[in-house]
Amino acid sequence: MKRRPERAMKSTQHYLNILLSLPPQLDKGETVSITTRELTKVLNCTPRNVKLILRKLLEEGFIKWQAGIGRGNSSQMTLLRDLGDVAEEYFHDQLAKDKIKEVMDLLYHKNLPLPLYNKLRDQLGARFGFQVEHTQSAIVDILRVTMDRRPTSLDPAFVSTSTEAFFLQQFCDTLVSFDSKTKTYLPALAHNWESNEDGSRWTFYLRKGVRFHHGRPFTAKDVLFTLQRLKTVHSPSRWQYEEIDHADVVSDHIITFYLKQPNRLFLHFFGSFYMSILPHDTPFSEKKMIGTGPFRMAEFTDQVLVLEAFEDFYRERALLDRVELWFIPDDIQNGQYQLPKWNDARHEEESPTTDIESLDGCQYVAFNFRKEGVHHHPSFRMAMRILYDRTAIITDLKGNRMAPASSFLPDKSKHVHDGDMTLKEAQAYLRESGYSGEKLTLYYWDKKEFLKDAKWLQLRCHSIGLHINLHPIPVTDYYSTDADQKADLLLICEMLEDDTEWGYLRLFQDESSFLHRFFNREQHAWLGMYFRRFKQLLAPEGRSEIIDKIEQRIRDENWILFGYHLNKVSKFHSALKGASMESFGWVDFSKLWIKPYLYTKK
């Protein structure tokens, strides 16, 4: 399709907006009565600009116009171009300019006729999913995936969600990596390491020949720089490294850390995404991320994040050549890694899919113990425990709410049933707490699934006379939200890493974590006593016992209200190979590949 000039395309957009505001049965050649005032609302501009737009539409052959006689009287507008033709022209022009938001705004316009919607959606299918593109010198395997939001921060010092942590791991690497199957640490940028007997001195031996994306070799200076930067920028993760007394760069490929006290979990800290190694000679930029990971950042804008395979990666090169992540509103997400048109029923037999399922994450309600209020009273929290019936919410809302939780860890959650206690008992506990009708504020993540949970809980509270206001937290406001000062309760979900021991520490001790932000000084002191022992224990069984003791008190005193674990299902076309669920519920892009004969099957 021949590209129209930008000015002409503006007229196309205006005409399209007018057509979509009219009754759907109107077609090319028909005449409609309309006023300039009505067009100001349709085109969202002043009457003066409406007249300028109409003049352009006349000149370019979109309409005929017979002005009405007298102020406010209807004029006669004759449609000279068909909606389907104009919509396709605009659709492909915006797609060619990578204006995905504009494309989606058109595709999901409430007045777009269904046949036209189906036609445009099929055409869009050729743009997303797994693609094989031919260049002059090579065949390039590309994965295009949609996401419901742009990553908030890819700075290792300030990564706050599992999505950002996953993408950071595509660009950067750490000294060691956690093996979820054996529950041990494996070499990464460090090929070996050793500690003294009590774990107060650790030496890392770094790989030679590793290069950053900008070409410079990786050395011990980069490790020291990354560590010092966490302190300099006041990373919420710096608690992990406060026990380091000093570091000694022995050579370009040897670095030793001397600790103030023994720490058996020191490897966990150097395998965490916070210690993703950055180059010491280049200012950090989220738009031009430089690491040693399997992909390099080719582009990062408000619309797209592009990853390209790093040819000099020190391990096995990524099998995909390019990954593009397009940021599209969550109401049109399908959550599938797909080949073009695979979800079309007509292609179902040709394109079988594979599901990968995992029980992950824990939805829960937290109380803000740093803010005064009735929620400090044990009877109030008991009333909330009855109201937030974890079996009832699963039954009522269904979806991916799969198993009642009594722990952050699915493996530790025991069978629970809250239905034995009634709303009358909750009301009695509420009276006992001294609640006098004041409104409490429940903060929740600004996503539709969280809103469903929040409204469900709000209705339950109102049924016994407990008044709850709902307040959304955009994911982009993770650090800047006023929840610390104004929230009485918080509805949130935590997804722990494969390295659950480190993830558990992070959950309570990261300054960005809402549990850290909501617990008071006495709670932190009690937790700190256990976590100090936690880090000094050699055997994992002892650490597991400490987790049990912590969670038992959390349950007994309702410091938080465990809700349910989530069931995550990812769908994969059978031509996609190497797909397996990794940490954070994502799939390692570097291991994905496309089986050609399945992809090209007619």
Side-chain angles (χ1 to χ4, degrees):
M1 186 177 290
K2 194 172 181 180
R3 292 276 295 276
R4 290 168 61 83
E6 187 66 34
R7 289 184 179 178
M9 188 51 60
K10 196 68 177 174
S11 295
T12 301
Q13 182 180 0
H14 290 316
Y15 183 64
L16 187 56
N17 288 338
I18 293 172
L19 289 180
L20 290 173
S21 72
L22 298 174
Q25 64 270 22
L26 290 176
D27 206 349
K28 177 182 176 182
E30 297 196 49
T31 300
V32 62
S33 295
I34 197 165
T35 66
T36 301
R37 184 175 180 180
E38 290 171 334
L39 287 173
T40 60
K41 296 179 180 178
V42 172
L43 299 173
N44 194 29
C45 61
T46 64
R48 180 177 180 276
N49 283 335
V50 166
K51 293 176 182 178
L52 294 174
I53 290 170
L54 289 174
R55 187 182 305 163
K56 279 288 183 184
L57 294 177
L58 277 165
E59 292 173 358
E60 296 176 22
F62 285 93
I63 62 170
K64 287 183 180 178
W65 183 264
Q66 180 64 50
I69 299 174
R71 185 181 181 90
N73 290 327
S74 295
S75 300
Q76 301 299 306
M77 180 175 65
T78 302
L79 310 176
L80 300 182
R81 294 195 59 187
D82 178 69
L83 172 61
D85 293 340
V86 174
E88 280 200 71
E89 180 180 342
Y90 175 79
F91 183 85
H92 288 290
D93 180 83
Q94 299 302 297
L95 200 57
K97 296 173 182 174
D98 288 334
K99 294 185 176 180
I100 302 298
K101 181 182 182 301
E102 287 77 3
V103 167
M104 292 301 173
D105 285 344
L106 170 60
L107 189 62
Y108 289 88
H109 193 289
K110 63 180 181 179
N111 294 334
L112 191 71
L114 183 60
L116 184 54
Y117 163 83
N118 289 333
K119 183 177 182 180
L120 295 180
R121 175 143 188 161
D122 280 349
Q123 293 173 7
L124 183 64
R127 182 64 182 263
F128 287 96
F130 290 92
Q131 311 282 324
V132 176
E133 295 186 358
H134 296 262
T135 67
Q136 291 183 345
S137 58
I139 296 175
V140 181
D141 290 339
I142 300 173
L143 166 62
R144 292 191 179 100
V145 179
T146 60
M147 291 181 61
D148 62 359
R149 66 175 180 85
R150 184 180 182 275
T152 304
S153 174
L154 292 180
D155 186 338
F158 295 103
V159 164
S160 57
T161 71
S162 58
T163 297
E164 279 80 22
F166 168 77
F167 287 120
L168 177 61
Q169 291 174 340
Q170 306 305 301
F171 300 122
C172 297
D173 220 330
T174 51
L175 295 190
V176 294
S177 63
F178 185 74
D179 186 332
S180 58
K181 294 179 181 178
T182 63
K183 304 296 181 184
T184 58
Y185 271 90
L186 302 176
L189 290 177
H191 67 83
N192 211 331
W193 56 87
E194 62 188 17
S195 69
N196 61 354
E197 188 173 346
D198 69 355
S200 62
R201 185 183 70 247
W202 293 78
T203 298
F204 294 89
Y205 300 93
L206 311 181
R207 292 182 189 271
K208 297 179 180 179
V210 177
R211 291 189 177 275
F212 285 99
H213 298 155
H214 67 336
R216 183 180 59 74
F218 155 71
T219 71
K221 286 183 180 179
D222 302 303
V223 178
L224 187 58
F225 165 77
T226 301
L227 178 64
Q228 291 173 336
R229 180 176 181 271
L230 293 175
K231 298 177 182 178
T232 301
V233 300
H234 300 287
S235 168
S237 72
R238 62 187 183 277
W239 60 270
Q240 299 177 84
Y241 313 103
E242 288 174 350
E243 292 179 0
I244 298 175
D245 183 73
H246 67 281
D248 182 13
V249 175
V250 180
S251 71
D252 279 351
H253 298 98
I254 302 175
I255 186 168
T256 298
F257 297 94
Y258 297 86
L259 311 186
K260 299 173 185 175
Q261 58 187 15
N263 188 337
R264 298 292 184 180
L265 294 184
F266 197 65
L267 281 184
H268 297 248
F269 298 163
F270 275 79
S272 80
F273 52 79
Y274 292 118
M275 266 302 291
S276 298
I277 303 301
L278 300 174
H280 73 268
D281 61 341
T282 306
F284 176 79
S285 170
E286 288 192 53
K287 295 294 184 71
K288 297 179 181 179
M289 176 79 74
I290 296 175
T292 60
F295 290 94
R296 68 175 191 87
M297 182 181 286
E299 185 179 356
F300 188 19
T301 68
D302 289 340
Q303 288 192 322
V304 67
L305 172 62
V306 179
L307 296 72
E308 289 185 349
F310 180 39
E311 298 294 342
D312 291 331
F313 184 50
Y314 69 97
R315 289 181 164 176
E316 183 180 349
R317 181 201 185 275
L319 299 174
L320 284 174
D321 299 300
R322 183 178 174 96
V323 179
E324 298 177 5
L325 296 117
W326 291 90
F327 313 131
I328 295 172
D330 63 356
D331 59 339
I332 56 176
Q333 294 292 302
N334 55 33
Q336 295 158 343
Y337 299 82
Q338 56 179 303
L339 288 169
K341 298 184 181 179
W342 81 265
N343 59 330
D344 190 322
R346 293 168 295 175
H347 299 263
E348 195 168 318
E349 291 186 4
E350 299 176 15
S351 305
T353 64
T354 300
D355 291 357
I356 296 182
E357 185 173 327
S358 67
L359 191 64
D360 214 346
C362 176
Q363 196 98 337
Y364 65 96
V365 171
F367 297 98
N368 188 355
F369 288 99
R370 297 197 188 187
K371 182 189 176 190
E372 292 183 0
V374 68
H375 56 280
H376 285 265
H377 199 290
S379 294
F380 178 86
R381 299 199 300 275
M382 189 62 202
M384 287 300 304
R385 173 69 280 171
I386 298 171
L387 291 166
Y388 189 47
D389 185 323
R390 48 203 141 183
T391 54
I393 194 171
I394 292 171
T395 301
D396 292 348
L397 300 185
K398 299 180 176 61
N400 65 341
R401 304 165 182 85
M402 293 304 294
S406 60
S407 168
F408 287 109
L409 307 175
D411 291 343
K412 282 184 174 288
S413 275
K414 302 175 179 64
H415 177 71
V416 291
H417 181 65
D418 294 327
D420 294 336
M421 302 194 74
T422 66
L423 292 179
K424 283 188 176 180
E425 290 175 279
Q427 197 167 33
Y429 278 115
L430 186 63
R431 286 195 299 269
E432 189 177 290
S433 72
Y435 176 72
S436 56
E438 63 269 28
K439 288 185 177 181
L440 278 71
T441 303
L442 172 69
Y443 277 51
Y444 66 94
W445 278 133
D446 191 13
K447 301 189 76 170
K448 58 186 177 183
E449 288 304 306
F450 287 87
L451 177 58
K452 287 180 183 178
D453 283 20
K455 285 185 173 180
W456 180 90
L457 182 56
Q458 183 186 47
L459 286 173
R460 298 262 294 179
C461 290
H462 282 190
S463 71
I464 68 165
L466 172 55
H467 304 293
I468 299 286
N469 288 332
L470 304 183
H471 190 288
I473 306 175
V475 177
T476 53
D477 293 348
Y478 187 90
Y479 288 105
S480 59
T481 177
D482 60 2
D484 302 43
Q485 294 79 38
K486 296 186 178 181
D488 299 293
L489 307 95
L490 172 72
L491 179 67
I492 194 169
C493 179
E494 290 291 347
M495 183 181 296
L496 294 186
E497 298 76 11
D498 286 341
D499 182 0
T500 54
E501 292 184 334
W502 174 76
Y504 212 85
L505 280 176
R506 182 182 64 82
L507 181 62
F508 289 94
Q509 297 200 287
D510 259 26
E511 292 178 14
S512 62
S513 163
F514 277 105
L515 290 186
H516 183 90
R517 291 152 75 171
F518 276 19
F519 281 179
N520 60 33
R521 187 174 301 173
E522 292 76 16
Q523 289 168 315
H524 279 302
W526 183 82
L527 288 166
M529 174 184 67
Y530 277 100
F531 285 139
R532 281 190 293 274
R533 288 172 51 197
F534 190 87
K535 289 184 284 187
Q536 293 172 4
L537 290 173
L538 186 59
E541 292 80 10
R543 294 192 288 271
S544 180
E545 289 177 6
I546 286 179
I547 291 175
D548 290 340
K549 288 179 180 178
I550 288 172
E551 292 196 331
Q552 187 61 54
R553 184 169 182 186
I554 285 174
R555 288 190 295 267
D556 290 345
E557 300 185 16
N558 289 317
W559 286 3
I560 69 169
L561 307 177
F562 289 112
Y564 54 81
H565 297 296
L566 300 151
N567 188 42
K568 183 179 179 68
V569 179
S570 292
K571 291 181 177 292
F572 301 92
H573 191 283
S574 58
L576 175 63
K577 303 300 178 183
S580 62
M581 200 68 75
E582 299 290 336
S583 189
F584 308 115
W586 282 80
V587 173
D588 188 346
F589 290 150
S590 68
K591 293 182 173 63
L592 297 181
W593 61 284
I594 303 166
K595 195 168 184 177
Y597 82 88
L598 277 173
Y599 180 85
T600 57
K601 185 178 177 181
K602 299 294 185 182

